Amino acid sequence: MQARIVLPLETPDEYKHQTNTTPFRLHRLYTTALVGLAILLTAGQGVTQWQLNRIQKKILIIRYASLQRHQSQQLLSKTLQLRNSTSETDFLVYRTELKQIFAGFESSYQQSSQGRVFDNDIQIPNSDLINRLYADIKPYYDSLSRSTRTISSFQTSSEVHSTVGNLAFRQLLSSQKPFLEKTDIIVREYNTEIRDQLTLLQWVEIAFYALTILVVLLIALRVFRPAIRQLKQTIDQLVTAENTTGESNRKLVRLNKSLHEARQRLFQATKQQHQQEINEQKLRASSLIAGQEEERKRLSRELHDGLGQMLTGIKLQVEGLETHLNRSPNFDDLSASKRLKSLKDLITQTISETRSISNDLMPSVLSDFGIIPALKMLAETALMNQPKGTSLQSDVRFETNLPTGRLDKQVEISLYRITQEAVTNAIRHGKPTQITIDLIERENYLHLVVTDNGKGFQIERLNEPYGPSQGIHNMQERTKLLNGRFKIRSAPDKGTRLFVSIPYQLHYSTYEHDTINAR
C-alpha cells in the first residue's frame, strides 16, 4: 500500500483514528441526507396526491352542478311535448319520461348543493360563497320542482290544458331563466375555486422541488465530494498495492505452473501404476479361471475315462455273472436274481450320473465343436436337468446369427458359463415356461441375451448391503475379464432379461481337441 507521510503534529494513532472515523462520518451524513430526501419526496408526493384527490372529487360535484342546466332544459322540452301530445298513449309516454328526468334533476341538485356524491360516497363541503349562491337559487328550484310535480301528476291530456295546468306551465317558464342564470354563476364559482386550488398546488410543488434541489446540493457538497476525494486516495493506494503485488503474482504463477507440471507427472505415474495393477489383477483372475477350467477338464477326463470305465467293467462282470447263474442249476433262486437286477440298475444310474457330472464340468461339445453347438446342447438338455420335484416345464430355445467357426477359447468358456448360470437361475428361481437364448454379433460386439417369462424380482435387491448372489457376481466378474458390459432387467411377474456385450472381432482359432466321449 502507498506509504503516508506522518507530520510531527499527526501521530500514527491520530492518523489511524482519523482513517477509521472518516468512513463512519461519511456514512452517517449520507444516510441522513438520503433519509431527509426520502421524507421530503414522500411528503411532497403525499400533499400533491391529497390535493389532486380533492380536486377530482370537486370536479365530480361540478359535473352534477353543470348537469342541472341540461336537465332543467329537458324538463321544459318534455313539458311542451306533453302539452302538445295528440293521443293518450303519447301522453303517458311523455309523462313517464318527464318523471324520470325530474328524478335525475332532483338528485343532481341534492348532491351538488350538499357537496356530496351519493354513488361514490364522496363529500367535499361547499364554500360559504357556494352555499349562499345555492340559497339564492333555492326559490327558483322549488318553483321548478312544484310545477313539474303538478304537471306530472295529471292523468289525462285534458288536465294539462286546465287552469291548474296552465298556471303550473307558466310558473315553470318563469322560473327556468333565473334558475339557469344562477346555475351558471355557481358553475363559474366552482371553476374559480378549482383554478385557485390548482395554482396553490403548483406553488406547493415548486416549493418541494426547490427543497429537493437544495437537499441534493447539500448531498453533493457534504457527501459526494468528500467521498470522491476519499475514493481517489483509495484508488491511489490500490494502484500502489497492485504494483507491489504484481511481481508476487508472477512468482506465484511460475510456482503454480511448476506445481501443475509436477502434479501432472504424478498423476500420469499414478495412472500407469493403477492401470498396471488392474492389468495384473485381470491377469491373475484370468489365470485363476483358466486353472479352474483346466482342473475341471482334467477332473472330467478322469471321471469319464477312470470311474466311468471301471463302472462299465463292473456292469459287464455282473451281466456275465447273471448269464452264468442262468446256466447253473441253482438259477431258480429268485432272490439272487432280483438282487443282481437291482445291482445292475444301480450301476447303470451311476454311469449316467457320472457322465452328467462330466458334461457339466466341461462339456466335450464345447471343447470339440465350439460355443454354438454347446449352447444348442445346453438348450436341449436344460429340461432334463431341472431340479427334482419341479412340476413346471420350461421350453428353452437358442438363436444366433454367428457363422460356423470357433471363437477365442476364453470367450467361449465365459459365454457358456454365463449362459449356464443364467438358465439354471431362471429354472430354479423364476419357474418360467419359456427361456430364450440369443447370441448375436453386431458392430464388432458379441451380444448374449437370456430372456425368461418367470416370476422376476425387484431389481433394487441387487443394491442391498449383501449385494447380488454368488451366481450373478460370477457372471459379472467373467464379463469384466472380457472388458464387457453386464446388465439385468427384471420386475415382479414381468420376467427377467440378462444382457452381456463383449467387444470381439470374429476370427477363427485353432484348438487342441479333447477326446472326451460325449455319449
Side-chain angles (χ1 to χ4, degrees), residues 222-479:
R222 301 299 302 273
V223 178
F224 287 121
R225 198 164 89 177
I228 291 174
R229 184 167 58 250
Q230 185 70 25
L231 180 62
K232 183 178 179 181
Q233 295 177 358
T234 304
I235 291 175
D236 293 339
Q237 294 175 357
L238 290 175
V239 170
T240 303
E242 182 180 3
N243 294 332
T244 304
T245 58
E247 184 62 28
S248 300
N249 289 335
R250 286 189 289 271
K251 291 180 180 179
L252 288 176
V253 169
R254 290 194 293 269
L255 291 175
N256 287 334
K257 184 176 180 181
S258 301
L259 180 60
H260 179 71
E261 292 176 353
R263 186 172 58 185
Q264 286 294 112
R265 290 194 295 269
L266 179 60
F267 175 75
Q268 292 296 333
T270 305
K271 183 178 179 181
Q272 292 176 0
Q273 183 180 0
H274 181 65
Q275 186 64 36
Q276 184 178 359
E277 291 177 354
I278 292 176
N279 294 336
E280 291 177 355
Q281 184 179 2
K282 287 185 177 181
L283 182 60
R284 288 193 298 270
S286 179
S287 301
L288 178 60
I289 292 178
Q292 291 176 352
E293 295 297 334
E294 291 296 331
E295 182 64 20
R296 287 184 177 185
K297 185 187 296 184
R298 183 189 63 79
L299 182 59
S300 174
R301 184 180 296 110
E302 290 180 357
L303 286 174
H304 184 275
D305 297 339
L307 181 60
Q309 296 298 330
M310 292 175 62
L311 292 174
T312 302
I314 293 174
K315 179 183 177 183
L316 293 175
Q317 291 180 10
V318 172
E319 289 176 350
L321 179 60
E322 182 184 15
T323 302
H324 178 72
L325 291 175
N326 289 336
R327 294 176 181 177
S328 64
N330 298 325
F331 180 70
D332 293 335
D333 189 354
L334 183 59
S335 176
S337 178
K338 288 182 178 180
R339 284 197 298 270
L340 288 174
K341 187 178 184 301
S342 176
L343 179 60
K344 185 174 65 174
D345 292 341
L346 180 60
I347 294 174
T348 301
Q349 293 177 5
T350 304
I351 294 172
S352 177
E353 185 68 20
T354 302
R355 288 177 177 174
S356 177
I357 294 173
S358 174
N359 186 68
D360 288 340
L361 289 173
M362 176 54 70
S364 60
V365 66
L366 177 62
S367 300
D368 296 340
F369 302 104
I371 185 64
I372 297 177
L375 292 181
K376 288 181 179 179
M377 182 176 178
L378 177 63
E380 294 172 356
T381 60
L383 186 61
M384 299 172 56
N385 296 329
Q386 294 189 52
K388 294 181 179 180
T390 302
S391 59
L392 187 64
Q393 301 296 321
S394 301
D395 181 20
V396 184
R397 298 180 182 179
F398 170 67
E399 297 180 1
T400 183
N401 67 345
L402 294 181
T404 304
R406 301 296 300 273
L407 304 179
D408 181 78
K409 182 178 180 180
Q410 294 299 328
V411 173
E412 287 188 342
I413 293 175
S414 297
L415 290 176
Y416 181 82
R417 294 302 181 194
I418 292 172
T419 307
Q420 187 182 39
E421 184 70 30
V423 173
T424 301
N425 288 343
I427 295 175
R428 183 178 302 167
H429 304 291
K431 303 298 188 294
T433 59
Q434 179 72 46
I435 301 176
T436 304
I437 304 171
D438 295 306
L439 183 59
I440 303 171
E441 189 278 330
R442 185 168 52 215
E443 298 178 356
N444 293 329
Y445 269 84
L446 290 177
H447 301 279
L448 173 65
V449 183
V450 181
T451 307
D452 69 77
N453 61 352
K455 296 187 297 184
F457 63 95
Q458 292 182 351
I459 202 67
E460 292 79 8
R461 291 172 54 189
L462 299 179
N463 298 324
E464 292 179 353
Y466 295 103
S469 64
Q470 185 62 38
I472 295 178
H473 178 74
N474 291 339
M475 289 188 287
Q476 290 176 337
E477 290 300 321
R478 288 182 182 273
T479 305

Side-chain angles (χ1 to χ4, degrees), residues 32-153:
T32 303
L34 287 182
V35 170
L37 182 61
I39 293 174
L40 184 62
L41 291 175
T42 303
Q45 189 63 225
V47 172
T48 302
Q49 292 298 325
W50 175 74
Q51 191 67 18
L52 287 176
N53 188 37
R54 287 181 58 85
I55 292 173
Q56 289 177 353
K57 294 178 181 179
K58 198 77 172 180
I59 290 174
L60 288 177
I61 296 175
I62 295 174
R63 174 179 173 274
Y64 284 105
S66 301
L67 188 61
Q68 295 178 61
R69 288 177 50 85
H70 177 67
Q71 289 173 336
S72 64
Q73 292 173 353
Q74 283 184 325
L75 289 176
L76 180 59
S77 174
K78 194 59 63 177
T79 301
L80 290 174
Q81 290 179 350
L82 186 68
R83 290 175 60 83
N84 297 327
S85 59
T86 58
S87 64
E88 291 299 325
T89 302
D90 294 339
F91 172 79
L92 295 176
V93 172
Y94 292 146
R95 189 185 66 176
T96 301
E97 294 177 353
L98 178 63
K99 290 180 178 180
Q100 293 176 352
I101 295 172
F102 180 68
F105 174 72
E106 282 187 323
S107 176
S108 299
Y109 178 81
Q110 294 295 330
Q111 295 184 78
S112 60
S113 62
Q114 297 178 13
R116 296 181 61 185
V117 178
F118 300 146
D119 295 338
N120 298 328
D121 194 17
I122 295 174
Q123 183 172 2
I124 300 293
N126 293 323
S127 62
D128 294 338
L129 180 58
I130 295 294
N131 289 331
R132 288 196 300 270
L133 292 175
Y134 270 110
D136 293 340
I137 203 176
K138 181 113 177 18
Y140 301 103
Y141 167 76
D142 293 339
S143 178
L144 287 174
S145 178
R146 284 194 303 271
S147 59
T148 303
R149 284 196 182 92
T150 300
I151 294 173
S152 61
S153 65

